[in-house]
Amino acid sequence: MHHQWLLLATCFWVIFMFMVASKFITLTFKDPDAYSAKQEFLFLTAAPDAGRSLRETHFPEELKLTGNRLPGGRLVQPLVYMQRLELVRNVCREDTLRNLSHTAVSKFVLDRIFVCDKHEILFCQTPKVGNTQWKKVLIVLNGAFPSIEEIPESVVHDHEKNGLPRLSSFSDAEIQKRLKTYFKFFIVRDPFERLISAFKDKFVHNPRFEPWYRHEIAPGIIRKYRRNRTETRGIQFEDFVRYLGDPNHRWLDLQFGDHIIHWVTYVELCAPCEIKYSVIGHHETLEDDAPHILKEAGIDHLVSYPTIPPGITAYNRTKVEHYFLGISKRDIRRLYARFEGDFKLFGYQKPDFLLN
């Protein structure tokens, strides 16, 4: 009888210890402060939980799953997208880069962010990175046109007709609400390749409906930055590089107004250290990133990103070398000094082949 009571007591002790251990484990998993920022993973929901509009939830490294969904149906981002967000957070914390990574969330920034209230989406415009197609996606989602194919090209950038409100058009309280709760994204590409694209589009192929780039902005750049005053050709890429790399470029920027959006930094456009974006897409991997963004925003069943011609988004080092050929190292280094924040925030390799 004594042995039976002893065995029973032992069983109760084991059960008691198991319950204590289980409780400790549960509390440990629920404590977000037990893990560093580097161990957190960002999950985006395809549809908000009941009573909750925020799409972002942080989970520690130990809870990372190998599948595509968490219990409850929430989507888990592939590692590359988490790494991009983590890189931005880390660079934003570097004091030595603060002047190149931080900016005020001014009206200039809010003017760049387009709103889709129906699906709670904010899109920050970064020109020369395939933004026209993303605008078309939002135009359809807002109900202005039934499909992307039916949107006239003349309407896409006409903000009186395209049905795309800017975040700056809302009250301060409404702005803050949307910044805190909406799905937010933007797209980047290699900073130097983007500048080449901007130069070609605005000063070489210059569309007829934007004559001011060739007839007003180009002459202003030439007057200040052309070294050979006897040169009579139109603006050259070398003139453009000197303008952008000049630490005192802002006085010309003020004269040019909002036209500078095609070549200012991503930091100046979208304030990535001040606004917590849900996804950062890369132009170079847009074939994968576009479907991912649509899926994470919960709209992949409503609209598709237009077909991307094979190879069109790939980085072209040969083109970059061609455009920078003959430009002095001093001018290229000054240009890099201005765009260094963009290179580091978004993981683009420093172009040593141009700098050294």
Side-chain angles (χ1 to χ4, degrees):
M1 188 70 175
H2 174 73
H3 291 293
Q4 290 177 334
W5 278 107
L6 184 61
L7 181 61
L8 187 61
T10 301
C11 290
F12 274 115
W13 175 253
V14 171
I15 293 171
F16 174 76
M17 291 303 293
F18 178 76
M19 291 173 64
V20 171
S22 299
K23 184 67 174 176
F24 176 76
I25 292 170
T26 302
L27 290 172
T28 302
F29 271 126
K30 289 183 178 179
D31 182 11
D33 296 327
Y35 303 94
S36 68
K38 290 185 178 180
Q39 292 173 307
E40 291 182 346
F41 279 78
L42 183 67
F43 294 81
L44 303 178
T45 60
D49 293 342
R52 173 178 173 164
S53 60
L54 283 176
R55 297 178 186 229
E56 299 173 352
T57 307
H58 287 281
F59 288 83
E61 171 81 29
E62 283 79 356
L63 296 185
K64 187 179 76 171
L65 301 181
T66 56
N68 292 324
R69 290 182 180 270
L70 288 170
R74 287 175 295 179
L75 296 171
V76 55
Q77 285 205 49
L79 184 59
V80 64
Y81 302 106
M82 302 175 200
Q83 289 173 333
R84 290 175 184 174
L85 296 173
E86 180 65 19
L87 176 62
V88 168
R89 286 193 290 268
N90 289 338
V91 174
C92 289
R93 289 194 288 261
E94 291 188 26
D95 290 337
T96 56
L97 290 173
R98 187 167 186 83
N99 290 339
L100 296 172
S101 61
H102 289 261
T103 192
V105 183
S106 61
K107 184 179 183 299
F108 181 82
V109 172
L110 297 175
D111 278 345
R112 311 280 77 78
I113 301 177
F114 295 100
V115 181
C116 176
D117 278 330
K118 185 176 181 180
H119 299 282
E120 299 189 350
I121 297 170
L122 299 181
F123 166 61
C124 184
Q125 177 188 22
T126 50
K128 316 325 304 168
V129 192
N131 281 250
T132 298
Q133 306 305 327
W134 284 111
K135 279 188 177 181
K136 290 179 180 179
V137 168
L138 293 183
I139 289 170
V140 171
L141 289 173
N142 276 349
F145 287 87
S147 70
I148 287 175
E149 293 73 24
E150 296 179 56
I151 305 173
E153 289 297 325
S154 60
V155 169
V156 178
H157 301 296
D158 186 337
H159 300 294
E160 299 296 325
K161 300 178 181 178
N162 65 16
L164 286 181
R166 298 174 189 262
L167 191 55
S168 58
S169 66
F170 296 88
S171 69
D172 289 345
E174 291 173 324
I175 289 171
Q176 291 305 315
K177 175 187 174 183
R178 286 164 175 79
L179 285 174
K180 288 179 180 178
T181 62
Y182 280 20
F183 177 87
K184 302 171 288 293
F185 77 100
F186 67 102
I187 314 295
V188 297
R189 73 188 294 187
D190 177 87
F192 279 6
E193 195 168 34
R194 172 175 170 254
L195 295 180
I196 292 170
S197 178
F199 177 78
K200 289 170 59 180
D201 182 50
K202 300 308 175 187
F203 299 112
V204 179
H205 305 309
N206 186 235
R208 285 176 297 174
F209 58 87
E210 295 180 329
W212 48 84
Y213 287 101
R214 181 175 289 174
H215 301 300
E216 296 175 24
I217 295 178
I221 294 173
I222 290 171
R223 280 193 299 270
K224 182 168 177 60
Y225 295 103
R226 177 154 296 178
R227 286 178 177 161
N228 183 358
R229 297 296 179 178
T230 63
E231 174 63 68
T232 58
R233 290 184 301 170
I235 187 171
Q236 302 296 299
F237 189 63
E238 183 178 13
D239 306 320
F240 190 55
V241 167
R242 286 202 196 96
Y243 153 56
L244 295 178
D246 183 0
N248 300 311
H249 63 84
R250 294 195 183 280
W251 77 272
L252 263 188
D253 289 352
L254 291 173
Q255 294 180 42
F256 298 157
D258 279 359
H259 301 310
I260 64 174
I261 65 172
H262 297 280
W263 51 76
V264 297
T265 65
Y266 300 127
V267 170
E268 294 169 280
L269 291 169
C270 298
C273 289
E274 286 67 37
I275 298 174
K276 187 178 181 183
Y277 287 91
S278 311
V279 178
I280 298 172
H282 280 226
H283 187 259
E284 294 82 1
T285 54
L286 197 56
E287 290 184 49
D288 295 323
D289 291 4
H292 173 77
I293 290 169
L294 296 178
K295 187 175 182 180
E296 294 298 328
I299 55 174
D300 55 318
H301 62 294
L302 299 174
V303 66
S304 297
Y305 189 83
T307 303
I308 302 170
I312 196 171
T313 62
Y315 174 70
N316 189 335
R317 173 170 165 163
T318 301
K319 178 178 68 176
V320 174
E321 289 177 324
H322 170 73
Y323 269 84
F324 281 92
L325 185 66
I327 299 179
S328 72
K329 299 297 183 186
R330 171 184 175 274
D331 289 338
I332 299 175
R333 288 172 187 144
R334 289 178 67 167
L335 182 69
Y336 177 76
R338 179 179 175 187
F339 287 85
E340 182 181 9
D342 282 359
F343 275 94
K344 293 194 172 179
L345 278 164
F346 307 111
Y348 287 101
Q349 188 172 357
K350 183 178 180 180
D352 288 323
F353 64 94
L354 297 175
L355 301 168
N356 299 325

